[in-house]
Amino acid sequence: MSPTTPSGEARGPVATLRRIAFLMERQREETRRIEAFRNAARTILPLPEEEVRQRVEAGTLTELSGIGPSTAAVITDAANGVVPERLVELEKTAGPLATGGEELRARLRGDLHSHSDWSDGGSPLEEMAMTAMELGHDYLVLTDHSPRLRVANGLSPERLTRQLGVVEAVNEHLDGAFTLLKGIEVDILDDGSLDQTPEMLDRLDLRVASVHSKLKMDAAPMTKRMLGAVRNPHTNVLGHCTGRLVTGNRGTRGQSQFDAKAVFGACAEKGVAVEINSRPERRDPPTKLLELARDLGCLFSIDSDAHAPGQLDMLDFGAARATEAGIDPDRIVNTWERDRLLEWASARL
Ligand SMILES: [Zn+2]
Ligand SMILES: [Zn+2]
């Protein structure tokens, strides 16, 4: 399922279903609507090809749980070597999501911020890893939420420990060209401390720290809170720093107020990367702050903050913004090779 496969080429049923889901996700269609295609792919994946063929001929695909009339039609087309009309339409949207950042996007080797269904993402971590590989990434950092973020099913130390075992198992099945890295999006608590035990944070490859609560706190305590997180040696990336939402079905939200010069100055001093969050509803940091961070000498990471596999492709938006701001690619940590990235991420521990 390479995203670059020419649209005229027919794929097998599982690849066709996954391709449809991928293209819907990268356009931010609702996860609920996409789930049918992901579920159908999961249902037929373990079946022998012969059984799928027989069911196509007998018209009994819909007897399988997870397959309805529309996904059965897609499977039938694909099994018959036909590209379904639905996919033909979606392929028309398959080009870059943004213009102006193509060169930088091609230099990005991975993604430092992504979620699986262990917290509030929509897909298993294996599916996230597989799609990241298909996008040509060398690495993907899995950064599910921390315990206090209960609305997002944040991971307790026990669940995170279990997840790390699964990540190791996934990597054992890969040839080493791609690595799923151990990470977290850890909440920055009101007092600036991080919402996970230091022991667990030590076990991770990389840590994104973000504010998710009390976004309207006064500037002085918010600055202190963010400085606390940036100075914490566990923090590698300051996630979506203003918390703003500029569009989308969650509505809009203004940006948090804080002394950006102080916070970005501390990021530059400590080697913490300022995240360029690629999600179109975030566009965080806003342009003025992005330019301030650039002028203060900060490192950056261009992240998708994907909650579904197709959203991993949203890096296009962040790359376009970074290019527009004239940021030197070597200051963007996910243009770095994996080993350089890992060295940087563990340097302050
Ligand atoms: Zn977040
Ligand atoms: Zn996130």
Side-chain angles (χ1 to χ4, degrees), residues 113 145 185 210 212 240 282 305:
H113 187 166
H145 289 288
E185 182 179 15
S210 312
H212 290 111
H240 50 69
R282 286 197 181 272
D305 197 357

